[in-house]
Amino acid sequence: MKEQIDQWLQALTLEEKASLCAGENMWMTKGIDRLNLPPIHMYDGTNGIRKTNSDEEMGITTENMPATCYPTGSAIGSSWNTELLREIGVALGVEGRSMGVELLLGPGINMKRTPLGGRNFEYYSEDPCLSGELGAAFIQGLQSQGVGASVKHFACNNQENEKMVTSSEVDERTLREIYLSAFERIIKKADPWTVMCSYNLLNGTYASENEHLLNDILREEWGYDGVVLSDWTAVNDRIRGLKAGLDIEMPGPAHYNTKAIVEAVRQGSVSEEQLNRSVRRILELVYKTTRAQAENTASGIDYHALARKAAAESIVLLKNDNSILPIDPNRTRSIAVIGRFAKKPRIQGAGSAEVTPTRVDTPWEEMRDVAGSTVDFRYAEGYPQDDRIDDSLIEESVKLAANSELALLFVGQPEYAESEMHDLKGIELPEQQVKLIQAIAAVQPRCVVVTSSGTALVMRPWIEHVPGVVHAWLSGQGAGRAIAEILFGRINPSGKLSETFPVKLSDNPAHMRILGENGKLYYREGLFIGYRYYDRKEMAPQFPFGHGLSYTSFPYSGLKVEQRGRGARVSFSLENTGAMAGKEVIQLYVHDEECKWVRPVNELKAFAKVELQPGEKKEIVLELEERDFAYYNTKDNRWTAESGYFQIAVGSSSRDIRIRERLYLDFGQEETAFHKFSLLNDWMADPKARKVFSNVRAAVALRKISGSIDPRDDRAGRTGASILITRVQ
């Protein structure tokens, strides 16, 4: 590869080098025909391939080429299954190759600061550990097939409102621990071939030209040497961007900026060596995506079957009072199916992530197939397509439910609510649907609600009146079959919430600062987003992070923790004590008991999804690294793990901790720099400093007694302090 790239680089003219730093059109990089240097074809791809019919069109409002539509990010994030994400990545790589795709613009891993984010459905979670591990697995699978990934949106792209002119104002510690942590994990574990910078400004500088973000952190600190490309039209100052490390401007052509680069090199404001570094990275990407062969070329993939499997692992059983689920078709003869989404399901969000599916399973058809002819299914529309309340539809539904043995309600956010380019106005169900649920529950106690949305939902007005709730997210083209098989017990639900569901929207920690003002959005909640906030606030959410029920039970026992090197080994036993095979998502949280810096009560640091047959018992082992116990120390600008006691908590959700153990971890003595303004507490906390301090204090006291120092002279104390500083340093 190096020889070919060197040849290309030597043969390119200055003008040609500059032209490679922007796209040829909407979806292609520029090729150089005379050098047999091909272009790269790239398309949107967070939950499937959105390939347009022409490389000159955006394709937002038109039908695009059919491709498999997998669960959206928020849905697949609730699978907590890295192997599944890797499998989907491989499948997208194979399907992409067959469609002429060489670079897929995904995954999206931004944190969910607020549930109102318009693109939240594209993102995995509110937690960087979960997002990072899932994103790394997806990228490893995709790139194994020779299709590059573009992890996005780098960074702090947490709202759609005025995102192109708003600066996300984030303190350095919050930036590192929350908003960059998943990116860092992915860079180091999966080495994505490209990173896409976001539209917004970060602390006053556009992400596309932010030297601290693109150079100091991404390249110098993390060692990333792949391509950085812009989100579409996200470039502000192309020369500043090139200097900061932005390699490709999209879309193209960008003749004006190409000329600006050439002029900057000729005038000396940009060195040709600096331009060559960007061009070399672009050439390496071209070679990997167009010349290199897939490592493990897969074939014979049943894409739709995989979409069904992914949906089944993503769907979350939120509530199951009196074991109303699963439905036994031999004991339930008539079922009222109510709601438009039963026949016209929502499977994805809108905007640049919207895929034209190859086929769509509908819950109505799939339930009738799964249950068989013994069940009489009856349908009512329930609510109109628009927002108006139609009392006649509600009355029809109530009558149908009252005359059936069980009612299934299919509700959710309307299609227009969740899309790129605008944020949500609320996370409640439309009033028409709330009224419908309340009316049905009043006449039919055996009632199950199936919700569809790409974000957390507020359920307070109706949740207490229904015994069963299944959250189906936006789970792709296979969701209809997955819902049917979960409802009727062919599949044991195993999804766990990848974000907290609040009781009401105002409970969210960012609620007071959602839109920002005067071009700035202050992240003043700091580290405390999602479950970190609810735990610290001691506030009960509607459903906590990591929550999800099963048709079987999984007792935990025998927790053992021990330090291994500069990390820890955690082991315990997990058993399936029920009558049905199932999968449990094990979640490991760490609490630092002694840190003087403010830290969340618990932080997710490891997880695993384990399948067990009835009566089966397994020993589970999880390994933690030093970084899992560290915080970002802004005083020294580095990650710091302090020796001391930590609690290791393992459970089925952030609020359902089953076993806990206390462990002392020795990370060695931190070097401490003392100065004349250091606090007494700092001196006394350091063993060496404390000993010297005691000796000096005794010496100063002795000198006062002997008369060599006037006790009234304040210089005596300062003399002692300076002696102490010299000796400790």
Side-chain angles (χ1 to χ4, degrees):
M1 179 176 77
K2 185 179 184 302
E3 183 179 354
Q4 175 64 81
I5 290 168
D6 288 341
Q7 290 175 2
W8 277 335
L9 193 58
Q10 284 185 343
L12 288 166
T13 67
L14 174 60
E15 289 76 9
E16 287 171 336
K17 291 175 186 177
S19 71
L20 291 177
C21 295
E24 172 71 19
N25 51 37
M26 189 65 69
W27 302 110
M28 291 167 56
T29 61
K30 185 174 176 57
I32 307 294
D33 292 338
R34 73 177 185 85
L35 298 178
N36 195 27
L37 178 64
I40 299 170
H41 298 78
M42 62 184 82
Y43 301 97
D44 287 318
T46 53
N47 61 289
I49 300 166
R50 194 182 73 85
K51 182 176 181 180
T52 58
N53 292 299
S54 166
D55 288 325
E56 302 292 341
E57 64 182 39
M58 195 66 181
I60 296 292
T61 60
T62 59
E63 287 287 308
N64 299 308
M65 295 183 64
T68 312
C69 180
Y70 294 99
T72 61
S74 59
I76 203 67
S78 294
S79 75
W80 294 65
N81 190 332
T82 55
E83 289 303 315
L84 174 63
L85 268 293
R86 187 174 288 106
E87 187 178 359
I88 292 173
V90 168
L92 280 170
V94 175
E95 187 177 14
R97 278 291 186 189
S98 71
M99 296 174 66
V101 179
E102 288 143 347
L103 180 65
L104 202 58
L105 304 176
I109 62 157
N110 292 75
M111 294 298 97
K112 300 185 181 184
R113 177 177 177 261
T114 163
L116 296 180
R119 301 188 77 168
N120 275 10
F121 66 88
E122 295 186 52
Y123 301 142
Y124 292 138
S125 175
E126 66 187 31
D127 181 82
C129 173
L130 178 57
S131 294
E133 290 296 321
L134 295 179
F138 174 85
I139 290 168
Q140 288 165 352
L142 178 68
Q143 294 186 167
S144 74
Q145 303 307 306
V147 175
S150 189
V151 61
K152 61 182 188 181
H153 303 87
F154 193 63
C156 297
N157 185 177
N158 302 108
Q159 69 174 40
E160 291 298 288
N161 180 67
E162 298 181 351
K163 65 182 177 182
M164 295 185 180
V165 295
T166 297
S167 177
S168 298
E169 300 289 312
V170 192
D171 71 88
E172 190 72 10
R173 185 179 173 203
T174 298
L175 184 67
R176 299 302 192 111
E177 292 192 27
I178 301 297
Y179 295 99
L180 296 187
S181 182
F183 285 101
E184 181 183 4
R185 190 179 294 253
I186 287 173
I187 295 297
K188 294 179 177 179
K189 283 197 169 191
D191 190 22
W193 294 350
T194 73
V195 170
M196 182 190 293
C197 70
S198 55
Y199 287 108
N200 56 283
L201 298 88
L202 177 60
N203 293 328
T205 304
Y206 276 100
S208 61
E209 58 195 53
N210 194 307
E211 187 174 358
H212 181 56
L213 182 67
L214 300 184
N215 184 71
D216 299 349
I217 297 176
L218 179 63
R219 297 209 187 277
E220 296 297 328
E221 186 177 324
W222 297 351
Y224 182 66
D225 199 33
V227 166
V228 175
L229 57 88
S230 75
D231 206 337
W232 270 230
T233 71
V235 172
N236 175 54
D237 184 324
R238 186 65 186 95
I239 303 305
R240 283 191 66 183
L242 182 66
K243 290 180 177 181
L246 177 69
D247 300 310
I248 299 177
E249 175 185 1
M250 290 299 292
H255 300 308
Y256 176 83
N257 280 336
T258 297
K259 291 178 181 178
I261 292 172
V262 171
E263 185 177 348
V265 173
R266 286 176 175 164
Q267 291 181 349
S269 59
V270 173
S271 69
E272 189 160 2
E273 180 184 359
Q274 193 168 34
L275 175 60
N276 284 346
R277 285 197 291 269
S278 278
V279 173
R280 179 176 289 277
R281 289 191 287 260
I282 294 167
L283 295 176
E284 288 176 353
L285 177 64
V286 170
Y287 188 93
K288 286 188 288 191
T289 55
T290 63
R291 298 287 184 92
Q293 298 297 312
E295 295 174 10
N296 301 296
T297 303
S299 60
I301 299 174
D302 187 334
Y303 299 120
H304 189 67
L306 179 57
R308 286 177 166 179
K309 174 184 174 182
E313 295 222 13
S314 303
I315 293 169
V316 184
L317 177 59
L318 294 177
K319 186 177 182 181
N320 194 25
D321 289 356
N322 303 317
S323 297
I324 191 171
L325 294 175
I327 303 166
D328 185 346
N330 296 316
R331 296 184 178 181
T332 305
R333 299 299 182 182
S334 60
I335 297 177
V337 179
I338 299 166
R340 293 174 53 84
F341 289 165
K343 289 190 174 182
K344 295 181 180 179
R346 278 200 69 205
I347 64 171
Q348 60 183 322
S352 62
E354 188 171 359
V355 179
T356 300
T358 56
R359 56 183 286 196
V360 177
D361 293 344
T362 66
W364 171 254
E365 296 293 341
E366 299 302 329
M367 287 189 299
R368 294 199 299 173
D369 180 65
V370 169
S373 58
T374 59
V375 179
D376 177 19
F377 286 94
R378 307 155 180 183
Y379 174 75
E381 186 177 354
Y383 46 87
Q385 188 172 357
D386 55 28
D387 287 339
R388 62 190 170 85
I389 298 175
D390 190 326
D391 290 327
S392 64
L393 291 179
I394 295 177
E395 290 172 6
E396 176 192 8
S397 302
V398 168
K399 183 177 179 180
L400 192 69
N403 293 319
S404 302
E405 296 178 34
L406 184 143
L408 296 175
L409 281 79
F410 288 80
V411 298
Q413 290 278 15
E415 290 186 8
Y416 60 79
E418 295 170 289
S419 174
E420 184 179 5
M421 299 309 295
H422 66 81
D423 295 312
L424 282 76
K425 295 181 179 179
I427 56 172
E428 303 82 8
L429 289 177
E431 186 180 354
Q432 47 168 231
Q433 297 180 15
V434 172
K435 188 174 181 180
L436 173 68
I437 296 170
Q438 292 172 331
I440 297 295
V443 301
Q444 179 50 269
R446 299 191 70 229
C447 177
V448 175
V449 178
V450 180
T451 53
S452 295
S453 73
T455 189
L457 281 177
V458 165
M459 302 180 180
R460 180 174 57 171
W462 53 268
I463 185 72
E464 298 301 326
H465 304 296
V466 298
V469 180
V470 175
H471 192 57
W473 295 106
L474 306 178
S475 293
Q477 67 183 55
R481 184 70 181 190
I483 291 169
E485 294 191 330
I486 286 174
L487 290 175
F488 287 91
R490 288 196 182 182
I491 291 177
N492 196 342
S494 62
K496 300 272 190 175
L497 292 181
S498 55
E499 60 189 276
T500 305
F501 277 38
V503 173
K504 56 185 184 300
L505 178 60
S506 60
D507 288 347
N508 182 265
H511 184 68
M512 302 300 289
R513 290 168 293 276
I514 290 179
L515 298 181
E517 54 192 25
N518 196 28
K520 292 187 177 182
L521 176 61
Y522 292 95
Y523 288 45
R524 286 187 174 139
E525 66 282 354
L527 305 173
F528 298 98
I529 71 167
Y531 70 90
R532 288 168 168 79
Y533 171 78
Y534 291 94
D535 288 352
R536 186 80 179 189
K537 189 72 173 177
E538 298 182 351
M539 179 185 293
Q542 186 69 64
F543 294 109
F545 175 79
H547 171 75
L549 304 177
S550 172
Y551 295 150
T552 189
S553 53
F554 297 100
Y556 295 60
S557 63
L559 178 63
K560 298 177 182 178
V561 295
E562 60 178 331
Q563 182 166 1
R564 290 285 183 92
R566 296 186 70 83
R569 183 181 188 271
V570 179
S571 63
F572 59 94
S573 293
L574 183 72
E575 185 177 5
N576 182 350
T577 56
M580 185 177 185
K583 296 180 180 180
E584 170 71 335
V585 174
I586 299 154
Q587 302 162 46
L588 188 156
Y589 296 87
V590 170
H591 168 64
D592 187 340
E593 291 187 5
E594 301 182 24
C595 186
K596 291 177 290 186
W597 293 55
V598 174
R599 300 192 69 174
V601 176
N602 284 317
E603 295 179 276
L604 181 75
K605 295 300 179 181
F607 62 91
K609 195 165 193 175
V610 180
E611 183 172 14
L612 294 175
Q613 297 299 314
E616 185 178 5
K617 188 175 185 179
K618 282 185 180 179
E619 182 185 26
I620 310 299
V621 178
L622 298 171
E623 301 285 346
L624 298 175
E625 301 175 352
E626 179 179 358
R627 175 66 178 269
D628 294 319
F629 301 96
Y631 64 93
Y632 192 77
N633 184 327
T634 51
K635 181 180 179 181
D636 300 323
N637 293 319
R638 60 186 172 88
W639 290 92
T640 301
E642 297 178 348
S643 299
Y645 282 100
F646 293 83
Q647 288 188 29
I648 310 297
V650 182
S652 192
S653 85
S654 61
R655 292 292 179 96
D656 184 10
I657 301 301
R658 306 289 179 84
I659 44 179
R660 187 189 300 268
E661 190 59 74
R662 195 167 181 249
L663 175 66
Y664 183 85
L665 290 168
D666 184 1
F667 295 111
Q669 183 63 43
E670 286 287 325
E671 293 185 5
T672 305
F674 292 93
H675 50 80
K676 63 182 180 180
F677 297 113
S678 293
L679 299 175
L680 179 60
N681 286 340
D682 293 333
W683 293 102
M684 301 309 292
D686 185 284
K688 185 184 294 186
R690 183 170 62 248
K691 182 178 179 180
V692 174
F693 184 88
S694 298
N695 292 338
V696 171
R697 185 173 58 180
V700 170
L702 182 62
R703 291 172 68 186
K704 285 183 178 182
I705 293 172
S706 65
S708 60
I709 294 180
D710 187 343
R712 295 168 296 177
D713 190 349
D714 181 58
R715 288 175 300 174
R718 292 202 301 272
T719 302
S722 63
I723 294 171
L724 178 58
I725 293 169
T726 302
R727 291 182 179 181
V728 172
Q729 290 179 336

